[in-house]
Amino acid sequence: MRFSFGLIMTAGALFTAAPSHAQTFDPRYPVCMHVYSGANGGGGEWYDCSFTSLPQCRATALGRSAICDLNPYYPFQEPPRRWRHERSG
């Protein structure tokens, strides 16, 4: 009984610690291309998040059944807020 419990705990720890590669969007690049292969193409559809700009992605997508969009998981920096100082006086 102890051996079974130890084996289950060890296997659970190994599977929990394993890295997951199932994330669709790569957070290192700001632009992704969504490629549609359709039912006749057979390959399904997938995302290619390896582009640094929309023009670069659009040039690659030209002539393919694909669309380029911003990566929702890329950590875009918001522009700093400019405060309006009002003088009293």
Side-chain angles (χ1 to χ4, degrees):
M1 181 75 169
R2 275 189 176 162
F3 179 73
S4 297
F5 180 72
L7 183 63
I8 290 171
M9 292 302 291
T10 303
L14 288 174
F15 288 126
T16 302
S20 175
H21 296 287
Q23 184 174 356
T24 303
F25 300 96
D26 188 352
R28 295 177 294 172
Y29 296 97
V31 180
C32 295
M33 177 174 59
H34 187 182
V35 182
Y36 305 94
S37 291
N40 295 336
E45 57 185 67
W46 71 91
Y47 289 90
D48 179 9
C49 294
S50 61
F51 302 98
T52 57
S53 68
L54 280 171
Q56 179 192 25
C57 178
R58 288 179 182 145
T60 305
L62 190 65
R64 300 171 79 178
S65 176
I67 189 168
C68 296
D69 204 0
L70 296 177
N71 186 348
Y73 296 101
Y74 183 76
F76 289 102
Q77 301 242 345
E78 291 186 23
R81 286 188 162 195
R82 293 174 32 182
W83 295 93
R84 288 182 71 178
H85 297 285
E86 294 183 22
R87 290 187 176 180
S88 59

